[in-house]
Amino acid sequence: VSLCRFADMEERLEVYYGSEDAIPEVTVAVIDTGAYYNHELLKDRIDDTTLNVAGYSLPGHWGCADDQGHGTMVASIIAMCTPDYVRILPIKAGDYEGEFSSSSIYLGIEAAISHEADVINMSYGIDNDNDPIEEYYMERCTAAGITLVAAYGNSHISTNSIYPACWPNVIGVSAVNNSMNFASGYSNYGASVDLSAPG
């Protein structure tokens, strides 16, 4: 976490707003496989709203509880790397195998817009041609002032056709290792990468 230097960024925000108390709350919608609400990193950071657009819940799981684990991992990283005024809105769009349908992704984005998210995190990617429907939703988010962030993925291939990270209004992120070198063993790569972070 220290490699991301979030403490430095928080100091800049405090200077900009005048004090820590004046910094506005930020809602990060995490379109993923849900979240384990009782996880120690998340229990005080999760938005009260529960959203499940995947269309199912396994027995013993309720609302947008995570039955795969990926969404909890992503939400926990966000919680570790941000101050308490960053709230996390988990939106369950992926199934227990970590698969996402186009319809659940669109519904997840729609839900994030309607719940006035400030940021949408999309830690999934599809290697395909650009989808005009997805492009429509990305443009709607930009028009609503939402910052879009997407992972480029871990298949060690070129990023030329990894969406949604390839959209010009999306911050596409690849990975560096704990030595701050490109994670060449797994991370996707290419000229379209906007930034890299510990992965």
Side-chain angles (χ1 to χ4, degrees):
V1 173
S2 62
L3 294 175
C4 295
R5 298 177 63 186
F6 285 101
D8 295 346
M9 299 306 297
E10 187 172 14
E11 286 180 16
R12 294 184 188 186
L13 284 171
E14 289 179 13
V15 169
Y16 180 83
Y17 285 100
S19 70
E20 182 179 357
D21 293 338
I23 301 173
E25 188 171 274
V26 174
T27 299
V28 179
V30 179
I31 300 176
D32 214 290
T33 59
Y36 290 116
Y37 278 58
N38 292 325
H39 191 289
E40 63 180 292
L41 289 171
L42 300 178
K43 58 187 178 183
D44 297 323
R45 302 290 296 280
I46 295 286
D47 191 274
D48 292 335
T49 308
T50 62
L51 299 171
N52 182 344
V53 297
Y56 84 99
S57 238
L58 288 181
H61 294 78
W62 53 270
C64 67
D66 191 353
D67 46 29
Q68 199 274 342
H70 191 270
T72 299
M73 178 191 70
V74 171
S76 296
I77 290 170
I78 294 170
M80 286 176 66
C81 294
T82 58
D84 290 343
Y85 49 75
V86 175
R87 304 289 295 169
I88 299 168
L89 172 63
I91 300 176
K92 183 179 180 66
D95 65 19
Y96 60 93
E97 294 181 334
E99 299 295 327
F100 296 77
S101 69
S102 295
S103 59
S104 67
I105 289 172
Y106 303 149
L107 287 169
I109 296 169
E110 187 71 52
I113 295 171
S114 65
H115 284 80
E116 300 182 340
D118 300 291
V119 179
I120 297 178
N121 183 90
M122 301 169 284
S123 290
Y124 55 83
I126 301 171
D127 183 14
N128 65 0
D129 293 329
N130 49 6
D131 178 350
I133 301 176
E134 185 177 70
E135 181 179 26
Y136 161 78
Y137 278 104
M138 298 296 99
E139 290 177 350
R140 278 195 60 200
C141 291
T142 300
I146 299 172
T147 300
L148 298 166
V149 183
Y152 263 118
N154 303 317
S155 302
H156 191 56
I157 60 174
S158 171
T159 60
N160 292 337
S161 58
I162 303 292
Y163 289 87
C166 270
W167 293 114
N169 52 343
V170 175
I171 300 170
V173 185
S174 68
V176 292
N177 58 27
N178 58 6
S179 299
M180 292 299 282
N181 296 314
F182 175 65
S184 57
Y186 59 89
S187 184
N188 292 345
Y189 55 87
S192 56
V193 171
D194 294 303
L195 60 88
S196 296

